[in-house]
Amino acid sequence: EFSRPAGQGGPAVTLRSVLLGACQREFENLLAAMDEQTSDMDPEEIDALRKSRRDRLRANTRLIGALFLRKLLATKVVGRLCCELTNCSSDQPPEEHAVECVCELLNSVGLTLESHPAGAEVIEQVCQRLKSLKDQKHGDSKTGIYCKRVQFTIQDLLDTRGAGW
């Protein structure tokens, strides 16, 4: 516990609350930045920036998973994050980076998350959503809405779950 500076009331600040707050802000900022327009940059700079943001987002997702495994995050929070990343409450497909993040997260916490009753429910819902997204095609064409790399990432996750994590 850390004490508040003089003149500021309220409870003491814990390392856990500071860490979780910083992690949440970083995650939300990175998600927002992924959709940011970069029209004044050349294509190479745009690709490098997107890759850097995607890598940071995936690293932050791994941190969230590690925090959950160390019981610093509740099952409810991780479940809600998984549902938000896959747009479970919407018919709109999520962005590729969101799908990659949820696959990364579930690969690291799936076994532990599924051992909780609420977590098992979320895992089932998210995996069903991912399966339908993987099989979804562009309009009349035979190509999927996601590139092959993302489709294989989804399939790897589903296979891992099927094998008992």
Side-chain angles (χ1 to χ4, degrees):
E1 283 189 15
F2 303 101
S3 59
R4 292 218 179 244
Q8 291 185 355
V13 179
T14 63
L15 179 61
R16 177 183 179 207
S17 66
V18 171
L19 181 62
L20 294 179
C23 189
Q24 180 178 357
R25 280 189 305 279
E26 176 74 4
F27 192 81
E28 290 169 353
N29 291 341
L30 283 169
L31 277 179
M34 291 299 286
D35 300 328
E36 203 173 84
Q37 296 296 324
T38 52
S39 59
D40 61 331
M41 300 170 77
D42 68 54
E44 285 182 13
E45 288 177 339
I46 292 172
D47 287 343
L49 183 61
R50 281 193 182 133
K51 183 182 180 335
S52 169
R53 287 177 178 167
R54 188 172 56 241
D55 290 347
R56 285 185 62 191
L57 188 60
R58 289 180 67 195
N60 197 283
T61 303
R62 283 192 297 275
L63 175 61
I64 290 169
L67 293 172
F68 172 72
L69 292 174
R70 282 153 187 78
K71 297 180 174 59
L72 293 172
L73 273 179
T75 301
K76 181 178 169 182
V77 173
V78 174
R80 190 172 50 218
L81 177 61
C82 290
C83 288
E84 284 180 24
L85 286 171
T86 55
N87 287 348
C88 282
S89 60
S90 169
D91 289 337
Q92 291 289 351
E95 297 290 328
E96 281 188 359
H97 61 269
V99 173
E100 288 177 308
C101 284
V102 78
C103 288
E104 180 102 27
L105 181 61
L106 289 179
N107 269 321
S108 63
V109 304
L111 177 65
T112 306
L113 187 61
E114 201 162 32
S115 69
H116 298 90
E121 197 175 297
V122 167
I123 293 261
E124 183 63 34
Q125 180 182 11
V126 169
C127 285
Q128 289 297 324
R129 174 71 170 155
L130 287 171
K131 183 174 180 357
S132 72
L133 289 169
K134 180 182 77 74
D135 297 336
Q136 200 170 349
K137 306 289 182 206
H138 277 295
D140 295 334
S141 75
K142 293 182 180 182
T143 59
I145 60 171
Y146 297 116
C147 67
K148 290 289 186 189
R149 179 180 50 80
V150 173
Q151 290 178 33
F152 284 123
T153 301
I154 293 170
Q155 189 59 52
D156 286 346
L157 173 71
L158 297 174
D159 292 346
T160 300
R161 180 182 183 226
W165 301 105

Coordinates of all heavy atoms in Angstrom, one line a residue, residues 55 57-67 104-105 108:
D55 N 2.0 -5.4 -32.0 CA 2.9 -6.1 -31.1 C 2.7 -5.7 -29.7 O 2.7 -6.5 -28.8 CB 4.4 -6.0 -31.6 CG 4.7 -6.7 -32.9 OD1 3.9 -7.5 -33.3 OD2 5.8 -6.4 -33.4
L57 N 0.0 -4.4 -28.5 CA -1.4 -4.9 -28.0 C -1.3 -6.3 -27.6 O -1.8 -6.7 -26.6 CB -2.4 -4.7 -29.2 CG -3.8 -4.9 -28.9 CD1 -4.3 -4.0 -27.8 CD2 -4.7 -4.7 -30.1
R58 N -0.6 -7.1 -28.4 CA -0.4 -8.6 -28.1 C 0.4 -8.7 -26.8 O 0.1 -9.6 -25.9 CB 0.2 -9.3 -29.2 CG -0.8 -9.4 -30.4 CD -0.2 -10.2 -31.6 NE 0.0 -11.6 -31.2 CZ 0.7 -12.4 -31.9 NH1 1.4 -12.0 -33.0 NH2 0.9 -13.6 -31.5
A59 N 1.4 -7.9 -26.6 CA 2.2 -8.0 -25.3 C 1.3 -7.6 -24.1 O 1.4 -8.2 -23.1 CB 3.4 -7.1 -25.4
N60 N 0.5 -6.6 -24.3 CA -0.4 -6.2 -23.2 C -1.4 -7.3 -22.9 O -1.7 -7.5 -21.8 CB -1.1 -4.9 -23.6 CG -1.7 -4.2 -22.5 OD1 -2.8 -4.6 -22.0 ND2 -1.1 -3.1 -22.0
T61 N -1.9 -8.0 -24.0 CA -2.8 -9.1 -23.8 C -2.1 -10.2 -23.0 O -2.8 -10.8 -22.1 CB -3.3 -9.6 -25.1 OG1 -3.9 -8.5 -25.8 CG2 -4.3 -10.7 -25.0
R62 N -0.9 -10.5 -23.3 CA -0.1 -11.5 -22.5 C 0.0 -11.1 -21.1 O -0.1 -11.9 -20.2 CB 1.2 -11.7 -23.1 CG 1.2 -12.6 -24.4 CD 2.6 -13.1 -24.8 NE 3.5 -12.0 -25.2 CZ 3.6 -11.4 -26.4 NH1 2.8 -11.8 -27.3 NH2 4.4 -10.4 -26.6
L63 N 0.2 -9.8 -20.8 CA 0.3 -9.3 -19.5 C -1.1 -9.5 -18.7 O -1.1 -9.9 -17.6 CB 0.7 -7.8 -19.4 CG 0.7 -7.1 -18.1 CD1 1.7 -7.8 -17.1 CD2 1.0 -5.7 -18.2
I64 N -2.1 -9.2 -19.4 CA -3.5 -9.4 -18.8 C -3.6 -10.9 -18.5 O -4.1 -11.2 -17.4 CB -4.6 -8.9 -19.8 CG1 -4.5 -7.4 -19.9 CG2 -5.9 -9.4 -19.4 CD1 -5.4 -6.8 -21.0
G65 N -3.2 -11.8 -19.3 CA -3.3 -13.2 -19.1 C -2.5 -13.6 -17.8 O -2.9 -14.3 -17.0
A66 N -1.3 -13.0 -17.8 CA -0.4 -13.3 -16.6 C -1.0 -12.8 -15.3 O -0.9 -13.5 -14.3 CB 1.0 -12.7 -16.8
L67 N -1.6 -11.6 -15.4 CA -2.3 -11.1 -14.2 C -3.4 -11.9 -13.7 O -3.7 -12.2 -12.5 CB -2.8 -9.6 -14.4 CG -1.7 -8.6 -14.6 CD1 -2.3 -7.3 -15.1 CD2 -0.8 -8.4 -13.4
E104 N -4.5 -15.2 -28.4 CA -3.3 -15.2 -27.6 C -3.7 -15.3 -26.1 O -3.1 -16.1 -25.4 CB -2.6 -13.8 -27.8 CG -1.4 -13.7 -27.0 CD -0.1 -13.9 -27.8 OE1 -0.1 -13.7 -29.0 OE2 0.9 -14.3 -27.2
L105 N -4.7 -14.6 -25.7 CA -5.2 -14.6 -24.3 C -5.7 -16.0 -24.0 O -5.4 -16.5 -22.9 CB -6.3 -13.5 -24.1 CG -6.9 -13.4 -22.7 CD1 -5.8 -13.0 -21.8 CD2 -8.0 -12.3 -22.7
S108 N -3.2 -18.7 -23.4 CA -2.5 -18.6 -22.1 C -3.4 -18.9 -20.9 O -2.9 -19.4 -19.9 CB -1.7 -17.3 -22.0 OG -2.6 -16.2 -21.9

